[in-house]
C-alpha cells in the first residue's frame, strides 16, 4: 500500500488518541471523527483516506480502549508504523484489521507529507528517495487476521473455529 | 504436569500458569500458546464494544453462546451511576446482555478490578479483562492481563485466547516500607527507573523478603500500576498474607501454600544482576508529574506546587487502608478553601467498612466530597472532572494530557497520604511534615 505520512512523537497514549469524553460512543465512524484529537484537534479533518501514521516509541500506551484503534482506522488511516507499540493497542489494531508494523528507525527517516510504500508481506517500507527500511514482519497468522479485515472476519472465514 | 528435569521453584510462576492452562509441560518466553481462560471481565466502557463484536461473531459464525456464563463478568463501574443518556444506554445494553446470556452482573457495586479481587479471582487462574489494570489480580497469584473488546468477544465465545509467553523481569524487594510510604511508591519507583516502556510485553515477578512484608493492598497497587511500565502482567507468590486475605470471603486458600505448583521461586536461580533491586526501607513518597506516570520525582522535589483538586480513589488506591491512611491525616483538619477533595471508595464493601469505622465522617468533617464507588474522576468520566485551570493531585494511575478532564489541566500522581496532606495545605505536601 502507498500513502501520505502524518508524523507523531513518542508515547502517544490512548487518552490523546481517543479522549475520555468520547468513550460512550460505540459507532465506529463516529469514533473516527475524533481520532488523535488529544494531540492534534484538527487531525480528523486533515486526514485523507489511505494516509499513514508514522510514530516514535510506545505508540498506543495507556488504556486498553479498543476505541483508540477503531478511531484511527475509521478516520481513514490505512496503517500505523512506529518505532515500537504498546501491547494492548497492537493487539487491538490487528483484531480490528488496522495494519500495524514495528519499523525501527522509521521516525528519523520520514517527514510529514512524504508518500511511502509499505509491503506488509515482506516487511519493507520504501521511502520517497527509493531507500528502504526493514521492519518487523507480522507473523503469518496475524497477517491473515489483518488481511481478512480483523479477528471476526478471520473467524468467519475459518467457519467459526481457529 | 511439569518438565521432568525441573522443580517448580526454578520456573517463574507466570510461566507455570500459562503452561498448565495451555496443556503444556513447560513454556518459554516468546512461545505462542492458546490458554484456557478461567475468567473474563468486561465493563461499561469496553463492554458495549465487546457485545457489538459478540453479536457480529454470532451473525457470521453461528456461535452465539458464552463459553461458560459463570465465568463471564459484566461490571458496571466507569459511569456508575450514568451522567449522560449514552452512558445509561450503554449500561442498559450490558444489563440486557448479561441477563440474556446468564453472565455474572455486578451492577454499580464497585470498580471492576476491586470487585474481581473481593473473592472472585483465585490463585493460579488465567484471568483476562477488557481493561488495562486487570494486571492487578496478579497480587492474588493469578496470571491476569488486559485485552481489547473484540478479543473479549472472542474469549466469550471460545473460552480461550492466544498469548505470547512474556519474558520475566524479576523485582527483588528487601526491607520494609516506612511511614507514609506505600505500594504506590514502590511502583512509582519502578516507573522512575525503567519508564513507561521498560517492561513492555514482559511479566514482572515480585520476589524477596520485602515482597512478603507488603500488605495485600500494597500488592494490589503495585500489580495494578505495573501496566504503566508496559508490563503484560505482574505477579506475587502466595504466602500467609494471601491466605488471611481470602478468609474475609470465606475461602480457604491454605492448600495453595502446600501445593508444589505454587512453590516460591528458588532464588539461587535468579540472577541479582538482572533483577530490579529495591530496598523498601529507603523509599520516600514519590510523585509522577504531568504528563506521564514515568515522570517520577520525590515529593520533596514538587513540594509547594499549588493544587486545586485532590482525588483519593480508583482501582489503584481506593481500598480501606488507603482511606484509613488519608483519614489519619484529615482527622481534625480541613481541606483548604479553594481545593476540592473527592473521595471515592473502590467498592460497596470498602465503603461500608469505611462507614462503620467512622472514616466517611472524617472526610465529610474535613470538607471532602464522598462519592459512590465508581471509576469516575480517574478517567475524566464524571464525579469530579478537571477544568482548564485545575491542578490535580491524585491517587489514581494515569496523568496523560486530558486524562482527568481538560487538556489544559495538570495531574500529579501520588499515594493517598500525599494527596490528603496536599488537600489540607493546598499545595503538594510531604505527609511526614504534616503528621503529629
Amino acid at each position: 500500500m502507498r500513502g501520505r505520512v502524518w508524523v507523531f512523537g513518542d508515547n502517544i497514549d490512548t487518552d490523546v488518541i481517543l479522549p475520555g469524553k468520547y468513550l460512550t460512543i460505540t459507532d465506529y465512524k463516529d469514533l473516527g471523527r475524533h481520532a488523535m484529537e488529544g494531540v492534534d484537534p484538527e487531525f480528523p479533518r486533515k486526514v485523507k483516506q489511505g494516509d499513514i501514521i508514522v510514530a516514535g516509541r510506545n505508540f498506543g500506551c495507556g488504556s486498553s480502549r479498543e476505541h483508540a484503534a477503531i478511531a484511527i482506522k475509521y478516520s481513514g488511516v490505512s496503517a500505523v508504523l512506529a518505532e515500537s507499540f504498546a501491547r494492548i493497542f497492537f493487539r487491538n489494531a490487528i483484531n480490528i484489521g488496522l495494519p500495524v508494523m514495528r519499523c525501527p528507525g522509521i521516525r528519523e527517516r520520514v517527514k510529514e507529507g512524504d508518500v511511502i510504500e509499505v509491503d506488509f508481506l515482506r516487511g519493507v517500507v520504501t521511502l520517497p528517495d527509493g531507500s528502504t527500511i526493514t521492519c518487523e514482519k507480522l507473523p503469518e497468522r496475524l497477517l491473515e487476521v489483518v488481511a481478512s479485515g480483523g479477528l471476526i472476519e478471520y473467524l468467519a472465514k475459518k467457519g467459526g473455529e481457529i | 504436569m511439569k518438565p521432568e528435569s525441573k522443580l517448580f521453584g526454578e520456573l517463574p510462576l507466570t510461566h507455570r500458569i500459562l503452561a498448565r492452562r495451555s496443556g503444556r509441560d513447560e513454556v518459554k518466553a516468546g512461545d505462542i500458546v492458546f490458554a484456557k481462560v478461567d475468567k473474563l471481565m468486561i465493563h461499561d466502557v469496553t463492554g458495549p464494544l465487546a457485545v457489538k463484536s459478540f453479536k457480529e461473531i454470532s451473525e457470521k459464525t453461528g456461535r452465539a453462546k458464552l463459553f461458560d456464563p459463570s465465568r463471564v463478568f459484566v461490571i458496571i463501574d466507569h459511569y456508575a451511576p450514568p451522567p449522560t443518556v449514552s452512558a445509561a444506554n450503554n449500561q442498559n445494553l450490558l444489563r440486557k446482555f448479561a441477563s440474556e446470556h446468564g453472565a455474572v452482573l455486578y451492577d454499580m457495586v464497585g470498580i471492576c478490578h476491586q470487585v474481581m479481587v473481593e473473592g472472585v479471582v483465585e490463585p493460579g487462574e488465567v484471568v483476562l479483562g477488557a481493561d488495562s489494570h486487570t494486571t492487578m489480580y496478579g497480587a492474588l497469584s493469578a496470571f491476569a492481563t488486559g485485552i481489547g473488546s473484540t478479543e473479549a468477544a472472542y474469549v466469550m465465545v471460545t473460552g480461550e485466547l492466544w498469548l505470547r509467553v512474556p519474558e520475566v523481569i524479576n523485582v527483588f524487594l528487601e526491607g520494609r516500607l516506612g511511614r507514609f510510604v506505600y505500594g504506590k511508591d514502590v511502583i512509582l519507583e519502578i516507573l522512575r527507573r525503567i519508564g513507561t516502556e521498560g517492561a513492555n510485553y514482559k511479566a514482572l515477578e515480585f520476589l524477596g523478603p520485602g515482597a512478603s512484608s507488603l500488605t495485600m493492598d500494597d500488592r494490589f497497587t503495585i500489580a495494578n500500576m505495573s501496566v504503566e511500565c508496559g508490563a503484560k502482567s505482574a505477579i506475587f507468590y502466595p504466602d500467609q498474607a494471601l491466605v488471611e486475605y481470602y478468609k474475609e470471603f470465606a475461602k480457604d486458600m491454605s492448600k495453595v501454600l502446600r501445593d508444589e505448583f505454587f512453590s516460591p521461586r528458588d532464588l539461587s536461580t535468579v540472577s541479582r544482576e538482572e533483577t530490579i533491586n529495591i530496598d523498601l526501607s529507603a523509599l520516600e513518597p514519590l510523585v509522577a508529574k504531568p504528563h506521564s506516570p514515568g515522570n517520577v520525582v520525590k515529593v520533596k522535589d514538587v513540594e509547594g506546587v499549588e493544587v486545586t483538586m485532590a482525588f483519593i480513589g480508583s482501582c489503584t488506591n481506593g481500598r480501606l487502608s488507603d482511606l484509613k491512611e488519608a483519614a489519619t491525616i484529615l482527622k481534625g483538619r480541613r481541606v483548604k478553601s479553594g481545593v476540592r477533595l473527592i473521595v471515592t471508595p473502590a467498592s460497596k464493601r470498602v465503603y461500608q467498612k469505611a462507614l462503620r469505622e467512622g472514616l466517611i465522617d472524617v472526610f465529610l468533617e474535613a470538607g471532602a466530597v464522598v462519592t459512590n464507588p465508581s471509576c469516575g474522576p480517574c478517567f475524566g468520566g464524571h464525579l469530579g472532572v478537571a477544568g482548564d485551570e485545575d491542578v490535580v493531585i491524585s491517587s489514581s494511575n494515569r496523568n496523560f494530557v486530558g486524562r482527568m478532564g481538560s487538556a489544559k489541566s495538570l495531574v500529579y500522581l501520588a499515594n493517598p497520604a500525599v494527596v490528603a496532606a496536599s488537600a489540607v495545605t493546598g499545595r503538594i505536601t510531604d505527609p511526614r511534615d504534616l503528621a503529629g
Side-chain angles (χ1 to χ4, degrees), chain B residues 12 106 156 205 265 276 284 289 299 330 339 357 375 420:
Chain B
Y106 283 92
M156 281 196 258
E205 295 219 348
R265 208 61 174 288
I276 296 175
E284 296 181 37
K289 300 192 301 184
V299 68
L330 290 164
V339 177
E357 296 191 25
C375 305

Side-chain angles (χ1 to χ4, degrees), chain B residues 388-404:
Chain B
D388 294 339
E389 288 170 24
D390 275 316
V391 178
V392 189
I393 180 91
S394 172
S395 74
S396 57
N397 45 61
R398 291 201 180 110
N399 57 351
F400 298 126
V401 170
R403 170 70 181 177
M404 293 183 77

Side-chain angles (χ1 to χ4, degrees), chain B residues 66-318:
Chain B
L66 296 180
F67 78 100
D68 181 342
S70 70
R71 294 176 185 273
V72 176
F73 296 81
V74 178
I75 307 188
I76 294 176
D77 65 348
H78 275 60
Y79 289 107
T84 63
V85 171
S86 58
N89 290 343
N90 284 341
Q91 290 175 4
N92 285 334
L93 182 125
L94 285 185
R95 285 185 187 100
K96 213 152 117 201
F97 177 81
S99 168
E100 268 169 28
H101 293 274
V104 182
L105 175 70
Y106 283 92
D107 199 342
M108 302 197 292
V109 289
I111 300 173
C112 58
H113 303 307
Q114 185 58 26
V115 166
M116 291 297 281
V117 300
E118 288 180 349
V120 176
V121 172
E122 295 188 0
E125 291 185 327
V126 167
V127 184
L128 303 181
D131 189 272
S132 55
H133 294 107
T134 303
T135 52
M136 184 163 120
Y137 322 152
L140 297 177
S141 309
F143 174 84
T145 192
I147 58 174
S149 302
T150 293
E151 276 194 317
Y154 176 84
V155 175
M156 281 196 258
V157 170
T158 64
E160 61 174 29
L161 190 66
W162 72 267
L163 292 166
R164 183 184 170 282
V165 176
E167 282 86 6
V168 165
I169 294 181
N170 296 304
V171 182
F172 190 86
L173 304 173
E174 290 178 297
R176 302 189 73 88
L177 293 172
R179 191 92 176 87
F180 297 124
V181 185
Y182 311 91
K184 183 60 160 278
D185 304 293
V186 177
I187 188 62
L188 285 175
E189 172 62 12
I190 293 172
L191 277 159
R192 188 185 71 81
R193 293 191 198 182
I194 70 175
T196 55
E197 212 189 347
N200 209 8
Y201 281 88
K202 302 193 174 153
L204 296 181
E205 295 219 348
F206 293 92
L207 312 174
S212 40
S213 80
L214 295 170
T215 63
M216 289 306 296
D217 281 2
D218 286 326
R219 300 179 202 185
F220 286 131
T221 302
I222 293 169
N224 173 291
M225 264 185 89
S226 292
V227 71
E228 310 307 335
C229 319
K232 184 179 190 114
S233 62
I235 205 162
F236 282 82
Y237 285 68
D239 61 2
Q240 193 56 41
L242 180 137
V243 174
E244 289 305 312
Y245 178 79
Y246 273 96
K247 287 182 180 169
E248 182 185 344
F249 312 106
K251 286 192 171 182
D252 180 3
M253 282 301 155
S254 52
K255 58 185 191 277
V256 154
L257 297 185
R258 295 187 295 270
D259 185 348
E260 199 196 1
F261 179 82
F262 292 101
S263 311
R265 208 61 174 288
D266 177 353
L267 292 177
S268 69
T269 65
V270 174
S271 153
R272 289 292 297 274
E273 269 118 47
E274 287 162 13
T275 65
I276 296 175
N277 296 295
I278 298 182
D279 176 5
L280 300 175
S281 313
L283 285 181
E284 296 181 37
L286 297 173
V287 171
K289 300 192 301 184
H291 299 277
S292 167
N295 193 9
V296 177
V297 298
K298 295 182 179 162
V299 68
K300 296 251 169 259
D301 295 337
V302 283
E303 260 183 325
V305 168
E306 284 184 14
V307 299
T308 60
M309 177 177 158
F311 172 55
I312 295 170
S314 83
C315 52
T316 308
N317 279 117

